[in-house]
Amino acid sequence: MPSVTDRYNPLDAEILRDPYPVLAELRMRAPVFWHTGMDSWTLTRYADSVRVLRDHETFARDPRRTGGKVPEPSLSVQTLDPPQQSRVRSLFMTALRAQDLVGVEDRARLLVRERLDQLAGGGPFDVVAEIAVPLSVAVVADLLGVEPPPYGEFAEVSDAIMRSMDGGLNPALVEPGRVARQQLSDLVDSWFAASARSGLLARVRQAMAADPDALTRLYVKNTARVMFQGGYSTMAAAVGNAVHTLLAHPGALGRMRDGALLATGVDELVRFDGPVQGTTRTAVRSCRIGHVDIAPGQKVVPLFAAANRDPAAFTRADELVLDRIPNRHLGYGWGPHSCIGTTVAQAGLRALVAALNDHPARLAAAGEGVRHRTATMRAFDTLPAALLV
Ligand code: HEM
């Protein structure tokens, strides 16, 4: 039988269905191992992942720090490192804190409620197309203060970008990803040119008016694109995963009628089966993780999905514990690149769960879902369900 490290192919059908058993075996037998397909050191322990995510001086996100190149449209909060990144990040964080997230949550809850009204009693439907995509486009557009683009069209562009995140495993995905990024850039350009409604983008533009630096403007525009596309795609994936988890745990949805459980439960759903499976950093100097020596220039991949089930960090790690406190999971990352949109995502997930609980019809599974064949993002292509009246 091949070793567990040889068996770990994130695109394998069985692993896409349920990655957690093989990740648990890796955590035990090979917590730091070289993955040839990903050309990286892969980490499965919580403590090792946190260390890498925190230490941005040793582990770079910006490929230029290790001699790589970044095309201009990709220079954003996501690809820069502190100190360059910090100014852009704080611009967006400050603008986000000034937004009315209660309003975003209320409008999202109403949107889901209306869609459930349309779907109830009408036979099986696809949770991704009917709920996850519209909810996520609406939440992110509402936050930014822009007109939501047509759902279907936007989902296709976003899909191409999401698939290109696996470009290391499949180079054929890189070019369609580049074209899609350009399309999205054109859309974001049009938002910047037009006078935006009140919202995060208007706030950022206002703050930028006092900063004539062309480079900052470029970073800000690219970051607005990441907020929209990255925010949408992770949110949509999280909604699909959350509904799947709730369907597999009878009683969990109903228990989240309790406000305290709703608040802690949406975080537990992301820990239990979150959308972002891992991330990449590059060592800028020699270092050691566990028993492994890492050379400068080598890539390191902390696997959030493995860290989030590490029994050294979480009691009853393989169980869904809706009232888990504290819950310092890595589903939203950690350190200087942790998710900017965490509070927005939490609001969107609360809106979803609350609307499902508001509705008199009962959500039920209506067959097996089909997973996206992507390693970085854990998502459903389709997830059939029905609303029984
Ligand atoms: C449940 C939904 C979401 C999850 C699970 C999630 C997860 C993550 C994770 C794991 C990272 C860090 C990746 C890394 O270290 O490489 C990240 C970064 C980021 N997220 Fe989210 N995210 C979600 C929703 C959103 C939303 C709604 C927005 C915006 C409206 C957003 C905006 C961002 C941005 C801009 C970054 C880059 C931050 C940086 O590099 O400094 N995310 N997200």
Side-chain angles (χ1 to χ4, degrees):
M1 175 134 169
S3 71
V4 63
T5 52
D6 289 339
R7 274 186 283 131
Y8 181 61
N9 169 9
L11 298 180
D12 178 88
E14 185 48 32
I15 293 179
L16 283 173
R17 197 186 65 75
D18 182 5
Y20 301 106
V22 72
L23 294 178
E25 205 179 329
L26 284 168
R27 226 174 18 239
M28 262 186 343
R29 295 183 199 275
V32 185
F33 70 98
W34 181 257
H35 193 282
T36 311
M38 294 197 271
D39 192 28
S40 310
W41 290 106
T42 305
L43 314 181
T44 50
R45 283 190 181 153
Y46 181 90
D48 293 337
S49 292
V50 168
R51 175 186 153 196
V52 167
L53 296 170
R54 258 195 195 140
D55 183 2
H56 65 89
E57 287 184 2
T58 308
F59 301 101
R61 179 80 213 219
D62 189 340
R64 296 172 304 175
R65 287 173 61 199
T66 45
K69 288 201 178 109
V70 184
E72 252 195 15
S74 297
L75 287 168
S76 76
V77 74
Q78 237 181 352
T79 46
L80 302 167
D81 273 329
Q84 251 184 335
Q85 180 234 26
S86 314
R87 163 136 179 71
V88 191
R89 188 170 162 102
S90 81
L91 202 74
F92 276 82
M93 293 293 277
T94 307
L96 196 138
R97 275 189 221 108
Q99 302 309 307
D100 168 22
L101 289 190
V102 175
V104 172
E105 182 169 344
D106 288 348
R107 288 185 287 276
R109 184 168 173 171
L110 195 66
L111 177 137
V112 179
R113 173 79 208 220
E114 283 169 2
R115 294 198 81 90
L116 296 177
D117 282 344
Q118 288 159 11
L119 295 164
F125 63 90
D126 175 18
V127 172
V128 176
E130 301 296 342
I131 298 178
V133 169
L135 168 64
S136 308
V137 171
V139 163
V140 181
D142 193 2
L143 173 81
L144 292 188
V146 300
E147 195 56 39
Y151 298 147
E153 228 172 85
F154 182 72
E156 264 174 46
V157 171
S158 176
D159 228 47
I161 296 177
M162 184 162 97
R163 287 181 196 281
S164 73
M165 284 158 71
D166 282 348
L169 288 170
N170 182 357
L173 301 171
V174 173
E175 181 55 17
R178 191 195 61 75
V179 172
R181 239 178 236 110
Q182 186 55 51
Q183 282 173 288
L184 194 59
S185 272
D186 294 344
L187 183 68
V188 175
D189 279 351
S190 72
W191 291 338
F192 263 83
S195 66
R197 301 196 295 236
S198 67
L200 185 138
L201 216 53
R203 188 91 181 189
V204 166
R205 285 189 340 164
Q206 211 179 4
M208 242 189 15
D211 193 335
D213 181 39
L215 216 49
T216 308
R217 300 177 91 81
L218 173 76
Y219 299 159
V220 165
K221 207 183 305 175
N222 290 342
T223 301
R225 196 189 62 233
V226 172
M227 290 286 285
F228 199 89
Q229 190 279 328
Y232 154 78
S233 57
T234 32
M235 182 82 217
V239 168
N241 293 352
V243 171
H244 178 253
T245 300
L246 291 170
L247 287 171
H249 290 79
L253 178 63
R255 288 184 63 215
M256 289 172 82
R257 285 179 198 281
D258 175 307
L261 282 189
L262 178 64
T264 53
V266 292
D267 266 346
E268 177 66 351
L269 287 167
V270 171
R271 182 199 71 88
F272 187 78
D273 196 23
V276 187
Q277 296 293 281
T279 187
T280 307
R281 301 289 185 266
T282 307
V284 297
R285 50 183 175 234
S286 310
C287 57
R288 198 173 167 81
I289 304 179
H291 298 294
V292 170
D293 288 315
I294 316 269
Q298 286 187 325
K299 285 191 278 174
V300 179
V301 171
L303 285 180
F304 301 142
N308 283 345
R309 297 285 191 105
D310 186 344
F314 301 96
T315 52
R316 298 159 65 200
D318 284 322
E319 288 174 43
L320 183 74
V321 180
L322 293 175
D323 58 354
R324 189 182 291 281
I325 300 178
N327 194 352
R328 297 195 185 93
H329 66 78
L330 304 187
Y332 291 108
W334 199 269
H337 282 286
S338 65
C339 181
I340 291 183
T342 303
T343 51
V344 186
Q346 288 166 333
L349 289 172
R350 279 195 305 267
L352 165 82
V353 172
L356 286 169
N357 272 329
D358 287 345
H359 206 275
R362 188 174 62 81
L363 187 74
E368 281 278 302
V370 177
R371 287 269 177 199
H372 253 312
R373 216 171 159 263
T374 43
T376 315
M377 190 74 86
R378 178 160 174 76
F380 279 100
D381 264 335
T382 55
L383 179 63
L387 277 168
L388 309 178
V389 285

